Amino acid sequence: MDLYLKMGLLLVGSVAVGASDISIYIPQVTKDIIGNITHETFVLVQPNCIFNQYITTNVWLVIALNKSFSSLNDSDLGTPVPYSSYRNGHHEYYHTLLVSAGQYPCSTTNSTLNVIQIGSETCKEKFCNGPLSNNQTYRVRFVLLNSTGIFDKTQWSNEMILQQDKPFQESIIWPSGRSGGMIVLTSILSVLLAILLVCLIAALVFGSRDICWKRTMINKQRMANWDFMSPSTYRSRRDPMYLES
Ligand SMILES: *[C@@H]1O[C@H](CO)[C@@H](O)[C@H](O)[C@H]1NC(C)=O
Ligand SMILES: *[C@@H]1O[C@H](CO)[C@@H](O)[C@H](O)[C@H]1NC(C)=O
Ligand SMILES: *[C@@H]1O[C@H](CO)[C@@H](O)[C@H](O)[C@H]1NC(C)=O
Ligand SMILES: *[C@@H]1O[C@H](CO)[C@@H](O)[C@H](O)[C@H]1NC(C)=O
Ligand SMILES: *[C@@H]1O[C@H](CO)[C@@H](O)[C@H](O)[C@H]1NC(C)=O
Ligand SMILES: *[C@@H]1O[C@H](CO)[C@@H](O)[C@H](O)[C@H]1NC(C)=O
C-alpha cells in the first residue's frame, strides 16, 4: 500500500516536471540580495532547469510596462523589439538577454548565487540590457522563439515597482564638515519656529494669558494684538473678570 502510494506520487511528480513546466513558471525577484529592486534595476532568480528540454532554442526575456503587458499577444512577443525602440517610446516593451536554453542549466553549484540583473548595462548593442526608468512598474516573461515566432513562454511575473529617485539627494553631498552642523542648525531653527507658531496660536486662542509672554508683557502685547481679534474676543477682553486677573 505504502509502496503504491509512493509510486503514485513519483508518477505525479514526473508528469509535473514535463512540457508544462515552462508555461507554469513565474519569473521571480530574488530575496537573497539587498537592493533586489533599485531605481533602475531589479534582480531576477535565474530560471535554471526550466528550459532544459530545448537546449538550443533561443530564450529571450521580455520586459514590459505593467500598464500594457496584458495587451501583448503572441505575435507581439514573437518578434524581438530592441531596447532603443522602448526607450524612445515607440514600444512599451522590449526583448533582451538572448541566450540558448542550455545556458540556464540544471546542475549548478550551491555556492554561486544564480541571479540575473536587469537594467545593468550601458547600451552598446541593439538588444542590450539597458537601464530601466525610475518609479515605473514592470512585468517580465521568458519567451522561447523559433524561426517562425513564439514557441513557448513562461507566465508573466508579478509587478515590480522601481524606486523613486530621492529628491533630497543633494543634501548628502554638502561640503564635508559642514553638513552635520547645518542640519543641526536647520533643525533647531525649525523647532524654534514651531514653538513660536504654537505660542502665537495659543496666545490668540487663550488671549495671551501667561502662556508664552510674561505678565508684564501682556499689556503691551494686548494693544498690538487688538487688530487681529474678532469682535467677540474683543468683547471678552473687556470683561471685568479678565481685567481683574
Ligand atoms: C527583496 O528582498 C527582500 C529581502 O532582502 C524581500 O523581503 C523582498 O520581498 C524582495 N522583493 C521582492 C519584490 O521580492
Ligand atoms: C499593474 O497592472 C494591473 C493590471 O493592469 C493593475 O491592476 C495594477 O494596478 C498595476 N499596478 C501598478 C503599480 O500600476
Ligand atoms: C496582436 O496585437 C497587435 C497590436 O498590439 C495587433 O496589431 C495584432 O493584430 C495582434 N495579433 C493577433 C494575432 O491578435
Ligand atoms: C545543494 O544543497 C542541497 C540542500 O540545500 C543539497 O541537498 C545538495 O546536495 C547540494 N548540492 C551540491 C552540489 O552541493
Ligand atoms: C511615482 O509613481 C506614482 C504612481 O504612478 C505617482 O503617483 C508619483 O507621483 C510618482 N512619483 C514621481 C516622483 O514621479
Ligand atoms: C515553431 O514553433 C511553433 C509552435 O510550437 C511550431 O508550430 C512551428 O512549427 C515551429 N517552427 C519551426 C520552424 O520549427
Side-chain angles (χ1 to χ4, degrees):
M1 175 68 186
D2 202 27
L3 189 67
Y4 281 121
L5 200 66
K6 273 181 187 159
M7 283 178 71
L9 283 177
L10 264 179
L11 211 66
V12 169
S14 60
V15 167
V17 186
S20 63
D21 215 24
I22 296 174
S23 60
I24 60 169
Y25 180 76
I26 302 172
Q28 299 285 340
V29 170
T30 181
K31 296 191 191 305
D32 293 336
I33 291 178
I34 300 171
N36 47 7
I37 298 186
T38 69
H39 65 285
E40 59 179 24
T41 67
F42 53 79
V43 183
L44 294 178
V45 175
Q46 261 186 35
N48 285 341
C49 211
I50 304 295
F51 315 116
N52 55 313
Q53 26 180 344
Y54 308 112
I55 299 293
T56 57
T57 309
N58 286 343
V59 180
W60 291 86
L61 180 66
V62 177
I63 297 171
L65 291 179
N66 177 66
K67 64 180 180 219
S68 64
F69 83 100
S70 56
S71 66
L72 299 178
N73 59 31
D74 278 3
S75 84
D76 294 325
L77 299 175
T79 316
V81 169
Y83 176 81
S84 59
S85 182
Y86 157 78
R87 206 61 190 172
N88 66 22
H90 198 248
H91 284 91
E92 294 189 320
Y93 64 98
Y94 63 100
H95 290 60
T96 189
L97 291 182
L98 168 64
V99 292
S100 59
Q103 305 264 327
Y104 294 119
C106 284
S107 59
T108 53
T109 60
N110 285 355
S111 55
T112 49
L113 209 53
N114 294 294
V115 296
I116 35 183
Q117 187 172 33
I118 312 304
S120 60
E121 285 176 11
T122 43
C123 266
K124 294 207 178 73
E125 42 182 311
K126 200 174 170 192
F127 295 101
C128 64
N129 177 18
L132 303 166
S133 315
N134 101 80
N135 198 33
Q136 267 292 3
T137 305
Y138 293 93
R139 291 192 195 235
V140 301
R141 139 184 266 177
F142 292 94
V143 294
L144 280 71
L145 304 189
N146 65 15
S147 56
T148 50
I150 199 150
F151 174 71
D152 209 342
K153 56 183 190 273
T154 68
Q155 297 287 310
W156 284 106
S157 68
N158 292 325
E159 57 190 43
M160 290 171 285
I161 306 173
L162 265 60
Q163 292 175 3
Q164 290 184 22
D165 281 336
K166 290 190 179 59
F168 297 121
Q169 227 155 19
E170 292 90 352
S171 66
I172 296 163
I173 43 172
W174 276 350
S176 63
R178 262 200 207 174
S179 55
M182 284 173 85
I183 290 169
V184 170
L185 202 66
T186 314
S187 308
I188 291 173
L189 280 177
S190 324
V191 170
L192 284 178
L193 268 176
I195 291 173
L196 195 63
L197 193 67
V198 169
C199 286
L200 271 175
I201 292 169
L204 286 175
V205 171
F206 297 110
S208 72
R209 280 168 63 180
D210 291 340
I211 303 293
C212 299
W213 287 272
K214 291 190 173 143
R215 249 163 215 274
T216 52
M217 295 290 286
I218 291 176
N219 287 333
K220 287 178 197 165
Q221 286 289 321
R222 208 180 270 162
M223 296 306 293
N225 285 342
W226 243 207
D227 289 341
F228 300 105
M229 283 167 194
S230 66
S232 62
T233 329
Y234 186 92
R235 268 197 303 278
S236 72
R237 280 178 168 273
R238 304 191 137 213
D239 186 301
M241 269 187 60
Y242 178 79
L243 291 173
E244 284 292 345
S245 62

